[in-house]
Amino acid sequence: MRFIDKSKVENRIKGLAINRQILELCWNESARSYSGLNYDDVDKTSIISHIVGEQDGLCCYCMRNLHVKAEGNHRKNTTLEHVIPHKIREQEWLRDRDGYRMFPLLKENHIAVCYGGMLNNASIECEMPPFPHFIAYDNLVASCDGQTLNEIGEEISQHCCNNKRGNRYVEPLYFHADISSEVSYDNRGHVQCREEFIPYLGENGVNIMCPFLNKVRLFWKEISDSEYDVTDIVNAEDDETLRLDIIDDVFTDDPTGQWFFLEDKKSWCVFSDYPWFYEYYKSRQ
């Protein structure tokens, strides 16, 4: 995982400006109240683009490449993740409040929590933070939609990341300045972290410790040890001969045949969406 630094001045200026623009567009001056100010209805194009950009196009959880629209062999997979859940209920907020508020940008002067994702008072104009949590820049990160593959290459929806989490409290580990050392990946592709992080990263959290993602990371570990690089993996999406050569050269020593499903272009394209791990493992050599 990587640290997401929302305190950078340039990013904050733009992010908060986008928030103000959303609020201004929903403000009805004659009625002196907001109209249509809810997460589902507002135009989120600008804030999605900004947040994906500040994360270098990577999912905040699994490090998958994010696509805000269909691109070549890759479908749209980007979602906005609410750190404090979009439709959090009062009892959930009271239970989890201390966990969220320990992060400076989630404190009262930045985030106004609105139960059920509805404004507390539509007649109070918001020109400065705290902004409503369901559209607040400080409360939003970008995640993939959690669609993965099972062991025979069939698609599984909502398997990890944003859509796996639901409304459960998951500590925003990407706001830890030292997260790159607190969460690491071994040579088998398994997540290594402190025991207290496991509920957040495991099956009952965002599920990035699942067998599929272990295998993705192992794939890139093997590629990083080979003569091939990221460009070869991307080119192999549309080049079956290259794809088969890579499988033959890198993965045929495994007698179980567990990698043969990568001959399928669709499966290969899913695995090729995680090139961050190539550089990660290269840096560990």
Side-chain angles (χ1 to χ4, degrees):
M1 297 180 76
R2 297 198 318 170
F3 175 47
I4 298 175
D5 186 2
K6 286 182 172 286
S7 67
K8 290 182 178 178
V9 174
E10 184 177 352
N11 285 340
R12 288 198 63 70
I13 289 173
K14 185 172 182 180
L16 295 177
I18 294 170
N19 266 169
R20 292 188 183 95
Q21 183 181 44
I22 291 171
L23 290 162
E24 288 170 5
L25 290 172
C26 293
W27 179 252
N28 186 324
E29 181 62 29
S30 61
R32 299 295 300 170
S33 68
Y34 286 106
S35 175
L37 181 54
N38 63 79
Y39 178 77
D40 292 327
D41 291 341
V42 299
D43 183 354
K44 296 178 284 293
T45 304
S46 293
I47 200 161
I48 289 172
S49 177
H50 177 56
I51 290 173
V52 169
E54 75 178 4
Q55 293 177 206
D56 296 323
L58 298 170
C59 174
C60 62
Y61 294 121
C62 72
M63 311 310 297
R64 186 174 190 168
N65 284 345
L66 293 173
H67 307 284
V68 297
K69 60 182 180 179
E71 301 175 282
N73 295 311
H74 302 275
R75 59 178 183 79
K76 176 183 176 181
N77 68 352
T78 303
T79 67
L80 283 180
E81 167 75 304
H82 290 83
V83 185
I84 300 170
H86 171 201
K87 295 186 177 180
I88 194 167
R89 294 175 293 183
E90 182 175 8
Q91 60 268 35
E92 293 168 336
W93 172 243
L94 295 176
R95 181 193 66 205
D96 300 330
R97 175 179 54 195
D98 291 347
Y100 290 118
R101 292 301 199 198
M102 72 177 180
F103 294 93
L105 293 181
L106 301 179
K107 291 185 179 294
E108 295 90 337
N109 57 324
H110 293 282
I111 301 293
V113 175
C114 306
Y115 302 137
M118 302 294 292
L119 287 174
N120 298 328
N121 188 336
S123 64
I124 297 178
E125 188 173 8
C126 303
E127 296 179 340
M128 297 292 291
F131 289 137
H133 86 282
F134 55 86
I135 55 95
Y137 161 73
D138 288 323
N139 192 49
L140 294 171
V141 291
S143 168
C144 76
D145 60 7
Q147 183 167 304
T148 64
L149 303 175
N150 65 15
E151 59 277 2
I152 59 173
E154 296 172 333
E155 292 180 350
I156 307 174
S157 63
Q158 301 183 353
H159 189 213
C160 62
C161 302
N162 184 359
N163 288 335
K164 174 65 175 176
R165 173 199 174 187
N167 260 27
R168 291 184 297 277
Y169 174 75
V170 170
E171 186 172 320
L173 299 178
Y174 39 74
F175 286 165
H176 288 207
D178 296 327
I179 193 59
S180 61
S181 59
E182 292 176 334
V183 174
S184 60
Y185 313 91
D186 67 20
N187 287 344
R188 300 172 300 156
H190 292 188
V191 174
Q192 302 296 309
C193 65
R194 301 205 301 262
E195 186 174 354
E196 60 263 37
F197 291 171
I198 293 176
Y200 309 132
L201 302 180
E203 186 176 3
N204 293 323
V206 296
N207 205 29
I208 66 165
M209 304 175 90
C210 66
F212 167 79
L213 289 174
N214 292 344
K215 197 164 187 175
V216 165
R217 294 184 287 259
L218 178 57
F219 170 88
W220 282 103
K221 168 64 172 66
E222 297 295 325
I223 295 299
S224 74
D225 289 339
S226 76
E227 63 184 15
Y228 298 101
D229 59 18
V230 173
T231 300
D232 295 315
I233 302 306
V234 173
N235 288 340
E237 292 179 3
D238 293 312
D239 186 335
E240 183 178 12
T241 299
L242 176 58
R243 192 159 69 243
L244 295 176
D245 285 344
I246 295 172
I247 294 170
D248 185 56
D249 293 341
V250 180
F251 298 110
T252 52
D253 286 342
D254 177 17
T256 68
Q258 64 170 320
W259 297 102
F260 290 163
F261 74 96
L262 288 174
E263 296 176 5
D264 174 63
K265 176 178 176 177
K266 182 182 69 175
S267 297
W268 184 273
C269 290
V270 172
F271 274 63
S272 74
D273 237 353
Y274 297 82
W276 183 83
F277 289 102
Y278 178 85
E279 296 300 334
Y280 176 84
Y281 284 112
K282 273 292 186 186
S283 71
R284 289 164 54 97
Q285 292 178 358

